[in-house]
Each structure stands twice: as C-alpha cells, then as structure tokens.
Amino acid sequence: MRILNFTQHAATPEQLDAGVVEPESSDKEKIQKALTFTQLPSTSELRMRATVCALLAKDLLAQYECDAVMIGGAPFFMSHLENALRNFRVRFCYAFSQRVAEDQIQPDGSVKKVQIFRHAGFIWGDEA
C-alpha cells in the first residue's frame, strides 16, 4: 500500500520504508499552506479549509498513485479534516510512533539523553 504524506513534516526513513510517499516540494508547499493556520479560525473556516484539503488530497492521491493519505497536525482541525476526507471517500491514517530514550555519550564523557520517535505503524481512520 502506498500512503501519501499529507502532513506539514517530512516523512521519516522508517515511514518511507513502510510505504509512505513524500510529495515533491511544490506539492508539499500546497499541503503545508492548506494545513497552516496563522489566525484563530472560525468553525466555518475550519470546514472550508478541510474541504480544500480533501480535494487537494484526492488530486494528489491520483497524481502519486497512492491508496491513502497520512494526516496529522493541529488537533482542533483533525476532526474537520477527517469528516471532509470521508465525504470525498479518501482513506486516511495517522502515524503511530513509539518514544525511545537513548543515551548518547558526548566527547567530554558526559551523557546526553535524547527521545527518539520510532515509526511503529498506522492507525486507520476507517477500516484499511
């Protein structure tokens, strides 16, 4: 299954290995613009923007020959986006990551603890 990355962030190598497709930069810019809110949105703006995103997702799915989109972003927008994607019959999922703590030994002998998010699968909005 091929899954189009419809988020503001670049797909990780693990996600790419799992079938996520990263759009070309011009298409990524369109996605980022559609998902970015710079002012407090009204409910009607959220619904309108979700429709715009769903139509863009539908077009990009065909262009990139993908089966679904991976979504994520502002929590206040996701339910609107999910509804619009369902209305346009676009399959969607969220990435599921596990947080792993790793110790990195520094040149001076000190230890730096970092949190790394490892891709662990997808959570589907509807049956996949």
Side-chain angles (χ1 to χ4, degrees), residues 7-66:
T7 72
Q8 294 180 335
H9 307 288
T12 66
E14 292 166 317
Q15 289 171 335
L16 296 171
D17 288 345
V20 173
V21 174
E22 186 65 36
E24 295 175 13
S25 61
S26 60
D27 292 325
K28 188 69 169 188
E29 288 174 16
K30 291 175 190 174
I31 292 167
Q32 290 169 330
K33 183 177 179 182
L35 293 173
T36 301
F37 294 86
T38 57
Q39 295 181 345
L40 181 66
S42 65
T43 301
S44 62
E45 181 181 351
L46 291 169
R47 288 182 185 141
M48 182 273 309
R49 187 83 69 92
T51 299
V52 168
C53 285
L55 289 170
L56 176 59
K58 193 169 180 87
D59 288 344
L60 293 176
L61 280 178
Q63 179 181 330
Y64 288 92
E65 299 178 350
C66 290

Side-chain angles (χ1 to χ4, degrees), residues 11-18 70 94-104 114-122:
T12 66
E14 292 166 317
Q15 289 171 335
L16 296 171
D17 288 345
M70 179 176 73
Y94 292 91
F96 177 77
S97 300
Q98 293 178 326
R99 189 178 306 195
V100 179
E102 288 187 5
D103 293 337
Q104 296 178 347
V114 295
Q115 295 285 333
I116 299 180
F117 294 89
R118 300 266 184 228
H119 178 72
F122 301 102

